[in-house]
Amino acid sequence: MEKLFFDGGMGTLLHKQGLTGDPVRLNLTHGESVVDIHRQYIHAGADIITANTFGAYTHKYPDAEELIASALRHAREATANETRTVRIALDICPLGQMLEPYGDMTCDEAYALFLEAAQTGAANGADMVLVETFYCIHELEAAVHAAKAVNLPVFATMTFNEKGRTAMGASVGDMVALLEGLGVNALGMNCGFGPDIYKGLLPDLVKATRLPILIQPNAGLPVIIDGQTHYNVTPADFARTMTEIAAMGCTHLGGCCGTTPEHIEAMVAACKVTGR
């Protein structure tokens, strides 16, 4: 199966440009920076860029619809003059509140919030929905149901520890059983750790599913040096491990926190050189 490459971190690049505060708010105040970052990832070889919509829900932002619309507008601007096909993914992430019985939010309330975001994204030109960084299987289910309701392709990932469990105890097998039943287009793992951890978990995922697999690790773990956040996996090291991950059966590859256009460019080049 042909490999598809996602982009890497958005917040990481915004902060490198000296922009502080809520990344999703920067859609309205520093749209040119968001466009520039998308273009950097496209030039690095990304086939899919992720709109800057992480966490844009109406229970947190009264203007969530405007934030999502502006994020999609910036992504479309970045792809407008490309000679190759670059698709845009709407980013759907956890709501930041616990669902019943662990918290006060019901599954119906969560579904409604996810559906608002998905409908706004679809209306503003998203090509697909990336449901990412989930750790609660019930919240993931609500998010995927909402994403499926807008009739776009859906890719879904959860964040696992080195033992193959999410923070809420869901296993790789739990994720596969749910997402295959819901009919997603691809599934996998993202965030939390660097590529080595997900390389170790990948054999179990490959055995468990026949769906395309998406892996988007962090650039390792963050460390604070002189008040600045740094990640310990270099582009070369990231590319080497991601090439091994591709050879093991992963078809969709990208990055999460701490990854940059340099990480994505090195990964794309290494995979193409090795034919993986």
Side-chain angles (χ1 to χ4, degrees), residues 24-273:
V24 75
R25 278 262 167 241
L26 296 175
N27 288 315
L28 301 183
T29 61
H30 292 79
E32 69 285 353
S33 295
V34 176
V35 173
D36 175 65
I37 290 167
H38 285 317
R39 285 178 175 153
Q40 289 183 50
Y41 280 120
I42 292 169
H43 297 159
D47 302 300
I48 301 168
I49 58 170
T50 307
N52 186 32
T53 57
F54 192 94
Y57 301 115
T58 54
H59 74 302
K60 295 194 296 184
Y61 302 97
D63 57 348
E65 183 174 346
E66 181 182 5
L67 292 171
I68 293 172
S70 64
L72 268 297
R73 184 170 63 252
H74 300 324
R76 292 197 312 273
E77 181 179 344
T79 63
N81 296 319
E82 290 301 313
T83 57
R84 64 185 179 91
T85 300
V86 179
R87 289 181 287 176
I88 301 168
L90 173 72
D91 196 350
I92 295 286
C93 70
L95 296 167
Q97 291 185 219
M98 301 291 285
L99 271 59
E100 293 179 339
Y102 307 103
D104 296 327
M105 182 174 286
T106 68
C107 285
D108 286 344
E109 289 169 337
Y111 173 81
L113 289 166
F114 289 132
L115 183 61
E116 285 178 342
Q119 289 174 332
T120 302
N124 283 277
D127 299 307
M128 58 181 290
V129 182
L130 175 61
V131 179
E132 66 165 348
T133 324
F134 280 75
Y135 54 89
C136 172
I137 200 81
H138 303 298
E139 188 178 14
L140 175 67
E141 182 175 11
V144 172
H145 272 298
K148 294 283 290 182
V150 299
N151 297 315
L152 292 175
V154 178
F155 289 10
T157 58
M158 299 190 82
T159 300
F160 294 92
N161 63 23
E162 64 272 17
K163 296 181 179 179
R165 294 279 178 174
T166 72
M168 294 291 290
S171 69
V172 171
D174 293 334
M175 177 188 72
V176 170
L178 172 70
L179 295 179
E180 286 192 340
L182 292 178
V184 301
N185 298 83
L187 54 79
M189 304 178 282
N190 83 299
C191 202
F193 294 93
D196 285 342
I197 295 296
Y198 289 133
K199 177 186 171 184
L201 297 177
L202 185 57
D204 288 340
L205 182 54
V206 170
K207 290 177 184 177
T209 187
R210 293 186 178 180
L211 286 176
I213 292 172
L214 167 63
I215 303 292
Q216 291 182 287
N218 290 351
L221 297 175
V223 295
I224 305 298
I225 302 174
D226 296 328
Q228 300 293 320
T229 301
H230 298 268
Y231 287 80
N232 61 6
V233 175
T234 67
D237 290 339
F238 186 84
R240 180 172 56 254
T241 307
M242 293 301 286
T243 303
E244 294 168 352
I245 284 172
M248 294 166 66
C250 180
T251 54
H252 297 50
L253 304 101
C256 202
C257 302
T259 58
T260 66
E262 289 74 23
H263 287 82
I264 301 306
E265 183 176 26
M267 175 185 69
V268 171
C271 286
K272 289 183 176 179
V273 164

